Amino acid sequence: MPDMKILAIESSCDETAAAVLISFGTKISISSSVVASQIKLHAKTGGVVPEVAARAHIEHVLPVIKRALSEAGIALADIDAIAVTAGPGLITSLRVGVDTAQALAFALAIPLVAVNHIEAHLYSPFIHADAYALPAADSLFPAISLVVSGGHTDLSFIKNFLNHKKLGSTLDDAAGECFDKTAKLLGLPYPGGPALSKLAKLGKPVIPFPRPMLESGDFNFSFSGLKTAVLYFLRDHKLQAKDYKLRANIAASVQQAIIDVLVAKTVAAARKYKARTVLLGGGVAANHLLRDKLKAASAKLKARFLAAEAEYCTDNAAMIAFAGYLRIRGGDFTPRKNVRADAGWELK
Ligand code: KG4
Ligand code: ZN
């Protein structure tokens, strides 16, 4: 593949992000990765209001692209291709990124690549800022990937780069959503995942919350019952503001229940498919306990464990650039005019 400079744009939910990936010879590097977070904006409402998110994306998208280019030390005219998140996500948010990417690709007369946001999370464990060569595929695959984000909990079998098949997913709430909703029940600020895991450090996982679908014999998940169990527990125990110890124990117990299920299912899949590697990506992959438990479980299976680096767990454009790079490497371009935002674009 010739040397390339790829600009990537991400706007599927509540982060406006842009990144530059440079490929040269057999090496690649993420030259910049800029994220304009809307956390403060959405903390006021305790969640993402789509209309508010879309307006913030419109405001931030061009400044974020400019910063990504300037941090990479290149001009817009130097870009060889653009990768953009086309779905899944909030349609009004996705459109801002897709429309911007399409306009730039037409103006510069360069290729445009539509990237699936979940596919980008799936391959995010392979991203590093400094120049590096990708490990040889036969040393990595077959692999099992767990993507845990605010909207998705997906287990996939990976035969090779961009050759993957979904084994199972959540039937209702995603793991991140379960963190967020139980955090809200405990009166913690948005986004709940980091707040709940911080509180969990002060408690012990002594409350026996259910481990949904642990014995289901398939690779699907269900987390809405766990949230309801917390709701009933709180109702029955009439939690007072000063009950900080109990609050911390609830946080630790919910976190443990979620992680037990995630790890058990991932291990079962890795064992069944004789995985050489276990991959972990998505916002919830930032959780240290989940990383530690899955790392230890993978070591027992003698599988390599690769988790996305902290800055590439939650939404970012570096992962969009990398997934775009894999598609470009495979000659898989989308005709510019055919790229559309697709809110319901599920990974197969
Ligand atoms: O991948 P992401 O940034 O956005 C989506 O594509 O959804 O994931 C966001 C999710 C939120 O539910 C957030 O609470 C969760 O990731 N999260 C965490 C942690 N950091 C972020 N969950 C548990 N522990 C964390 N440390
Ligand atoms: Zn995401």
Side-chain angles (χ1 to χ4, degrees):
M1 180 168 139
D3 294 355
M4 281 202 101
K5 297 182 182 71
I6 302 169
L7 169 70
I9 304 169
E10 152 68 38
S11 70
S12 65
C13 187
D14 57 349
E15 320 279 11
T16 323
V20 173
L21 179 150
I22 298 184
S23 82
F24 48 104
T26 57
K27 293 199 167 171
I28 57 178
S29 79
I30 297 294
S31 300
S32 63
S33 177
V34 177
V35 180
S37 172
Q38 301 179 9
I39 282 182
K40 278 192 189 140
L41 194 63
H42 300 302
K44 288 184 217 157
T45 43
V48 179
V49 178
E51 163 71 20
V52 175
R55 253 186 282 157
H57 284 306
I58 291 169
E59 213 175 287
H60 291 133
V61 69
L62 291 177
V64 162
I65 291 171
K66 264 193 184 159
R67 244 185 74 200
L69 290 169
S70 103
E71 285 183 16
I74 58 171
L76 189 58
D78 297 332
I79 293 293
D80 300 300
I82 300 182
V84 66
T85 308
L90 300 168
I91 189 67
T92 42
S93 288
L94 287 165
R95 275 198 187 131
V96 178
V98 169
D99 289 353
T100 308
Q102 213 161 24
L104 288 173
F106 270 112
L108 297 166
I110 56 174
L112 180 60
V113 188
V115 170
N116 180 294
H117 181 88
I118 304 303
E119 184 169 279
H121 274 306
L122 196 158
Y123 292 105
S124 63
F126 293 109
I127 306 173
H128 310 288
D130 294 335
Y132 65 103
L134 274 183
D138 56 6
S139 73
L140 292 170
F141 304 116
I144 290 296
S145 144
L146 175 67
V147 171
V148 267
S149 71
H152 287 78
T153 306
D154 285 356
L155 255 182
S156 303
F157 171 75
I158 306 168
K159 208 167 165 193
N160 206 330
F161 284 114
L162 295 185
N163 183 343
H164 46 254
K165 191 174 136 273
K166 191 144 80 176
L167 301 173
S169 57
T170 182
L171 304 176
D172 41 58
D173 289 354
E177 214 171 343
C178 188
F179 269 102
D180 292 341
K181 287 180 176 172
T182 47
K184 208 169 186 175
L185 292 175
L186 289 171
L188 297 170
Y190 168 90
L196 191 121
S197 67
K198 202 168 151 200
L199 179 61
K201 287 202 183 97
L202 307 173
K204 290 202 169 63
V206 289
I207 305 161
F209 287 128
R211 267 66 176 158
M213 310 269 292
L214 195 61
E215 309 294 339
S216 66
D218 60 14
F219 297 118
N220 289 325
F221 303 87
S222 163
F223 290 108
S224 68
L226 185 50
K227 172 201 64 194
T228 312
V230 176
L231 186 69
Y232 289 160
F233 185 91
L234 289 173
R235 186 195 60 190
D236 296 345
H237 289 79
K238 302 207 170 38
L239 192 68
Q240 307 285 319
K242 62 177 172 20
D243 289 337
Y244 64 91
K245 192 77 208 163
L246 179 57
R247 203 179 285 271
N249 284 348
I250 295 171
S253 305
V254 177
Q255 174 174 257
Q256 191 68 53
I258 296 172
I259 291 173
D260 281 354
V261 180
L262 293 174
V263 171
K265 297 252 169 174
T266 308
V267 165
R271 193 171 280 138
K272 178 170 177 184
Y273 291 92
K274 299 185 173 46
R276 278 207 173 88
T277 311
V278 172
L279 300 171
L280 176 65
V284 183
N287 186 287
H288 288 290
L289 189 65
L290 173 60
R291 297 171 83 96
D292 292 349
K293 296 276 180 205
L294 204 50
K295 186 178 179 183
S298 305
K300 267 195 185 162
L301 293 172
K302 298 197 170 27
R304 185 201 303 229
F305 175 68
L306 293 176
E309 289 173 10
E311 69 173 300
Y312 307 128
C313 285
T314 43
D315 289 348
N316 65 88
M319 66 179 192
I320 306 305
F322 182 68
Y325 161 77
L326 291 176
R327 294 224 159 264
I328 290 167
R329 201 174 67 157
D332 182 6
F333 292 98
T334 327
R336 279 189 299 256
K337 65 177 175 28
N338 293 352
V339 174
R340 291 271 177 285
D342 179 0
W345 184 12
E346 287 300 324
L347 205 59
K348 291 209 178 69

